[in-house]
Amino acid sequence: MARDASGNSWKVLMLEDNEDDALLIVNHLETQGCEISWDRVETEKDLRQRIADGGWDVVLSDHTMPLFDGASALRVVRELDPDIPFVFVSGTLGEKAAVAAIKGGAQDFIVKHDLSRLTPAVERAIADQALQKRHRLAQEVLRKLSQAVEQAADSIFITNREGEFEYVNPAFEQLTGYGPASTHGQTPALLKSQDQDPSTYAELWQTVLSKQVYRGTLINRKQSGETFFEEKVITPLVNQDGQITHFVSTGRDITDRVQADEDRTRLNAILEATTDVVAIADAKGKVIYLNKAGHTLLATALNLTDDEPGKARAENALNAAQQLIQGALAQAEKHGVWERESMLENASGQHIYLHQVVMAHRDQSGRIAYYSTIARNISERKQFEAQLQHQATHDLLTGLANRVLLAEQLQTEMNRARQLKHLTAVIFLDMDNFKRVNDGLGHSIGDQLLQQISVRLGRHIRPNDILARYGGDEFVIVASDLTDADTIPGILDKVKRAFEQPVRIAGQDIFVSFSAGVAVYPDDGDSVETLLRNADSAMYQSKAIGGRSFRFYAPAMNERQHRLLALESELHRALERKEFVLHYQPQASLRSGKVCGVEALLRWNHSERGLVAPNDFIPLLEETGLIDDVGLWVLRQACQDMRILAAEHGHAPRVAVNLSARQFSSQRLAEQVAGVLRDTGLPAEQLELEITEQMLISDLESSRATLESLRELGVTVAIDDFGTGYCSLAYLKRLPLHVLKVDRTFVSGLPDDGNDLAIVEAITLLAHKLDLQVVAEGVETAAQLETLRALGCDMVQGYYLSKPVPLSTLAGAATLTV
Ligand SMILES: Nc1nc2c(ncn2[C@@H]2O[C@H](COP(=O)(O)O[C@H]3[C@@H](O)[C@H](n4cnc5c(=O)[nH]c(N)nc54)O[C@@H]3COP(=O)(O)O)[C@@H](O)[C@H]2O)c(=O)[nH]1
């Protein structure tokens, strides 16, 4: 749309019933150089519609129309849009109507027959209306602003350049107590408090007078005298000439916040200064704070070095704190507050004990807001408690368990024995003649003696057994996991042997022996008290018979013990009384069919019990050590008997003598054998010594040395009971052996038992490969003998040929043939 020089380009809404008049007006405006787009309405409805469409620069309205009058049209337009310029263009308009029109909000009125004023009237109407609109909007903004200031929560006041109050808002009055009346003619100095540093005011004035905005916190005083912290913003207002005309101050009471900050700072200082570990975790349990003590303690607990970078060190400490709190979250959530003792172990195995309180903190809706834990290092207390516990349960002098701990441990062992169906032996030891040591050598030596006894006893019991000092010179051993009560004398024997050597204290040798009493769970009692009482009473019985011995509480065991003791003393006397005799069992060669050797077998010719078999007394001889003397007697007697036989009959067979384990392991064996051969004059090749597989393998190196020295003497060696032990073919090859005696358990199954047949055949083949002779023991039938012959066995021994016989009848038996 082209414009004229004035640039008027209007969109005109015409309220006109006469279209020609409307065109006339438009035409006039256009001839005035205005560019017009226009529309014409003549009813209220259309007017409302077009005004609602918007975009009109001016409404030109007739005053009198058949369907609608101008005054109503003006009301409608003002109602719908107060800012559209409205000009009446009418035929005639009386003065009264014109005044009413101007009052009603029309900008001007023009008579149709003189349109010369129309263009400037429209121009002025548009300009006036625009100004009015701006004014109205400004008024509106001002009204809103003053409403905002009046209703603001912050305190606001305005002072003039001299600083005198010109306005205070209700919030100011509410905060300070000063209203418009009490501030009239006053300056903000009435808010000053003594608590405020004066330099703050100087800084404030310097800032605002240099036209800058001041921001800061002031400590002000209310009308009531109460001081408060106010967060201030003071803005200088500057006029067009750059002069400060006013100051606007907004303030906010931050007393609560400052106090909360101060509280927080104080609390934080306390948290950082406390020696307890304090950690805080968020609602999900993630640690978000750990105090200084926490960092220090956890870093120590983790052996974190100072070389570690600070950040990594702190992170590691936080991780440790995380672990510390993690396990307790569920309990804290459940109970609100939860206490526990926890333990941290550092890389060096050092334990740090903590007493920990864990709390779950909830918000108002009951949801977990965060968790906190306070942990105190109680390691010293724990150590002290452990010391107290140790002192309460251990004997101070020896460090052994005392009665209290003994009772506890014994109860545990009894419970275990009940479950495993085992036996538990309570051995009550009372030192013989301790009083004499104490009285004679003094209490200090007595104490040292008890200490050394404890050590020696400790070394001679099994690691799992319990050793306790019951009081004075009384000790208790609890031996558990026993399957057979017969093992108990062995335990006591070990204790006895532990004190074969005297205890040396301050250059003095002190010989120690005990009186011992034994009670066995479950037979002798099923409570700690009963077992200890019964073991104690058994110990008194032992003391009553002179000490240096032990008694079982159970009468049956004492009987057995009695029997063994009686047998032991009888065996002692048997040697002196010459009650031991030798019987000889012939061995025949399957090649020649003739007797080629005999085995010497020990018998005890008991005055009352008759001939006692070796199995009934040899174990006891071994146990008591008597076997040394008896074994030597057997060796000497067998050699002498063979010499007698040779002297009487011109020749004698080779004699095989059984050695006990103790004899074989003796360093003096070769020397003793040589001595006997020399004394009796029996040629060495006529003596054979029988040992078992177990004896050999218990100490292979020393066995080899013994066998070598026997071979050097010219004596042969047979392995007895072959096949029943743990024989390894490897050692058979490497040791100087001569004969294998196949155990009679394999012979008894011949000829029908295929396994026995295979075993005997294998042994025979193996022996021959290793250049060893084979003797089959326990041959009782002709069938067995023939089978052995067929298997290539060298010699046989057994009842089929002859039972063991006394020397007097051996000569006859030696002529037997097979
Ligand atoms: N350390 C020593 N041990 C010795 C001594 N004297 C014997 N003993 C060992 O005692 C065990 C039992 O011996 P004993 O009761 O004399 O029995 C021997 C034979 O009587 C028996 N035998 C022999 N033939 C048969 C038979 O056909 N049937 C059968 N049922 N028994 C038979 O075998 C025993 C000989 O065995 P072994 O010595 O293995 O050859 C016994 O282990 C002896 O070793 C000794 O002075 N010192």
Side-chain angles (χ1 to χ4, degrees), residues 588-596 789 801 815-818:
S589 159
L590 285 177
R591 186 167 302 162
S592 66
K594 292 184 183 159
V595 170
C596 56
R789 194 196 300 273
L801 184 65
T815 57
L816 294 169
T817 53
V818 288

Side-chain angles (χ1 to χ4, degrees), residues 318-334:
L318 274 177
N319 287 342
Q322 188 67 56
Q323 282 169 24
L324 197 63
I325 202 167
Q326 199 67 45
L329 293 179
Q331 293 295 333
E333 193 173 343
K334 193 169 162 198

Side-chain angles (χ1 to χ4, degrees), residues 467-695:
L467 174 61
R469 183 172 175 216
Y470 200 70
D473 57 351
E474 294 167 335
F475 295 87
V476 170
I477 295 171
V478 176
S480 21
D481 294 331
L482 307 177
T483 46
D484 187 350
D486 282 350
T487 52
I488 298 170
I491 298 170
L492 287 154
D493 189 48
K494 268 207 283 180
V495 172
K496 190 173 153 197
R497 274 192 273 130
F499 290 93
E500 270 170 3
Q501 296 300 317
V503 177
R504 193 164 182 80
I505 297 170
Q508 297 246 18
D509 279 342
I510 303 170
F511 285 88
V512 173
S513 68
F514 294 99
S515 302
V518 184
V520 181
Y521 171 84
D523 294 347
D524 301 341
D526 59 1
S527 74
V528 168
E529 296 72 29
T530 317
L531 280 172
L532 284 168
R533 195 178 53 241
N534 291 346
D536 184 42
S537 80
M539 183 277 291
Y540 271 106
Q541 288 179 36
S542 153
K543 205 152 247 285
I545 57 164
R548 304 177 73 86
S549 63
F550 65 92
R551 298 276 297 173
F552 279 95
Y553 174 75
M557 295 210 65
N558 281 334
E559 253 170 48
R560 181 175 178 277
Q561 203 53 35
H562 264 312
R563 257 193 308 114
L564 287 175
L565 279 174
L567 189 63
E568 189 181 334
S569 57
E570 281 179 306
L571 281 169
H572 270 288
R573 282 191 293 270
L575 250 185
E576 297 158 19
R577 292 182 185 167
K578 300 195 179 358
E579 287 178 352
F580 289 120
V581 291
L582 289 181
H583 282 194
Y584 295 95
Q585 187 173 32
Q587 298 171 338
S589 159
L590 285 177
R591 186 167 302 162
S592 66
K594 292 184 183 159
V595 170
C596 56
V598 291
E599 180 180 0
L601 294 161
L602 182 62
R603 303 288 182 261
W604 180 14
N605 201 356
H606 193 273
S607 52
E608 289 157 20
R609 291 156 61 195
L611 219 50
V612 183
N615 280 340
D616 289 346
F617 63 88
I618 283 187
L620 195 59
L621 287 180
E622 287 257 8
E623 212 175 288
T624 54
L626 275 170
I627 193 73
D628 293 341
D629 294 341
V630 177
L632 191 58
W633 175 85
V634 171
L635 185 66
R636 186 176 296 277
Q637 193 59 45
C639 292
Q640 271 175 7
D641 284 351
M642 290 309 110
R643 289 292 289 152
I644 292 168
L645 209 61
E648 284 175 1
H649 301 280
H651 75 279
R654 170 176 45 79
V655 64
V657 174
N658 288 287
L659 291 184
S660 72
R662 201 177 156 105
Q663 278 177 287
F664 184 65
S665 65
S666 164
Q667 304 276 327
R668 298 179 54 216
L669 177 66
E671 184 194 322
Q672 284 177 339
V673 172
V676 167
L677 290 174
R678 194 178 50 243
D679 293 349
T680 57
L682 186 76
E685 61 274 14
Q686 271 194 269
L687 177 63
E688 187 161 273
L689 297 175
E690 288 192 12
I691 56 174
T692 61
E693 292 168 279
Q694 283 89 338
M695 291 183 204

Side-chain angles (χ1 to χ4, degrees), residues 585 599 602-603 658 720-721 741 744 777-778 780 799:
Q585 187 173 32
E599 180 180 0
L602 182 62
R603 303 288 182 261
N658 288 287
D720 204 1
D721 307 333
K741 291 188 76 178
R744 67 168 173 273
E777 295 185 86
E780 293 185 344
Y799 293 171

